[in-house]
Amino acid sequence: AQSVTQLDSQVPVFEEAPVELRCNYSSSVSVYLFWYVQYPNQGLQLLLKYLSGSTLVESINGFEAEFNKSQTSFHLRKPSVHISDTAEYFCAVRDFNAGGTSYGKLTFGQGTILTVHP
Amino acid sequence: KAGVTQTPRYLIKTRGQQVTLSCSPISGHRSVSWYQQTPGQGLQFLFEYFSETQRNKGNFPGRFSGRQFSNSRSEMNVSTLELGDSALYLCASSRLVRETQYFGPGTRLLVL
């Protein structure tokens, strides 16, 4: 079964500093990769996704993630964070090669709480 | 276009009761998935429906069930509630099964 590991449960950072949230997934022939963000008491919002094509994907608010097939990673980066980026971030994988009940299932990592300090 | 809506947003029940949660997908979306989010277990997949058929199911007991109607709206039912069922239940919709899922705000269920 597919698994997703977010290597840091909490990441504190100062405003305007760069940040990287790490995500690794178990190997598969082809997967779709996502980052979702969850603000307090809200649902998940899609931040960015990799389906195919360019391995570097960007969001409208300055985040980017790079799909690295050889390292099975999809790390999220932002060169300069804002206070408003404080939230929990989830990496997720959809695997359409697994059989049985794992087919197409969206599997989430445990989440990384990003706290931006002034 | 309106997003995914879930009702009710908050719910308090007691052990042994049953509960039904509702999800209305984004217009034109035919796939609906349900997830349970708890501090200890994180986000766990419950089931996915497409065109009124359950396409996929997570590892939850039979007390958890769902259905989808012809207008793509979906309901999730939990019978004989246990304290451990307290969680945020999230619904997500996508146009087709293989497409990106968009989440609703969730229903927060507290079981006393």
Side-chain angles (χ1 to χ4, degrees), chain A residues 3-46:
Chain A
S3 66
V4 180
T5 302
Q6 291 183 241
L7 295 156
D8 306 293
S9 59
Q10 297 193 49
V11 173
V13 65
F14 285 111
E15 193 173 21
E16 297 184 6
V19 72
E20 178 180 77
L21 307 184
R22 297 178 292 169
C23 172
N24 286 93
Y25 60 95
S26 51
S27 180
S28 179
V29 175
S30 78
V31 293
Y32 294 174
L33 297 160
F34 305 87
W35 276 99
Y36 286 88
V37 59
Q38 186 175 36
Y39 298 99
N41 299 314
Q42 294 188 26
L44 299 174
Q45 297 177 27
L46 178 67

Side-chain angles (χ1 to χ4, degrees), chain A residues 57-76:
Chain A
V57 290
E58 299 177 356
S59 72
I60 58 173
N61 55 354
F63 283 94
E64 64 179 29
E66 186 161 19
F67 168 56
N68 188 320
K69 187 174 183 179
S70 62
Q71 297 186 8
T72 60
S73 68
F74 191 55
H75 301 331
L76 181 70

Side-chain angles (χ1 to χ4, degrees), chain A residues 32 34 36 38 41-44 46 49 90 94 96 100-106 108 110, chain B residues 9 35 37 41-43 45 48 56-57 88 90 97-105 108:
Chain A
Y32 294 174
F34 305 87
Y36 286 88
Q38 186 175 36
N41 299 314
Q42 294 188 26
L44 299 174
L46 178 67
K49 60 186 177 184
F90 292 92
R94 283 196 100 175
F96 290 100
T101 58
S102 292
Y103 178 82
K105 187 174 73 173
L106 188 62
F108 286 90
Q110 286 296 312
Chain B
R9 291 293 311 277
Y35 297 85
Q37 185 178 24
Q41 299 298 317
L43 280 153
F45 171 74
E48 179 174 30
N56 210 342
K57 191 177 189 304
L88 180 66
L90 293 164
V97 170
R98 289 182 73 107
E99 296 195 356
T100 302
Q101 295 184 352
Y102 295 89
F103 284 78
R108 189 166 295 279

Side-chain angles (χ1 to χ4, degrees), chain B residues 2-108:
Chain B
V4 178
T5 58
Q6 293 187 243
T7 56
R9 291 293 311 277
Y10 303 92
L11 206 49
I12 300 175
K13 292 286 188 179
T14 56
R15 277 183 300 174
Q17 288 187 308
Q18 75 164 15
V19 67
T20 299
L21 312 181
S22 181
C23 171
S24 293
I26 292 171
S27 177
H29 284 197
R30 295 168 60 192
S31 176
V32 173
S33 297
W34 288 89
Y35 297 85
Q36 181 196 65
Q37 185 178 24
T38 59
Q41 299 298 317
L43 280 153
Q44 292 186 291
F45 171 74
L46 279 155
F47 25 67
E48 179 174 30
Y49 287 87
F50 181 77
S51 292
E52 302 177 65
T53 302
Q54 188 179 88
R55 295 291 300 262
N56 210 342
K57 191 177 189 304
N59 297 322
F60 278 82
R63 300 185 296 108
F64 291 81
S65 63
R67 59 178 176 168
Q68 186 181 34
F69 301 95
S70 59
N71 62 358
S72 295
R73 190 178 69 85
S74 177
E75 287 183 348
M76 191 193 93
N77 184 274
V78 187
S79 63
T80 319
L81 283 165
E82 300 177 359
L83 296 179
D85 297 332
S86 295
L88 180 66
Y89 290 89
L90 293 164
C91 167
S93 77
S94 60
R95 204 165 56 91
L96 299 173
V97 170
R98 289 182 73 107
E99 296 195 356
T100 302
Q101 295 184 352
Y102 295 89
F103 284 78
T107 294
R108 189 166 295 279

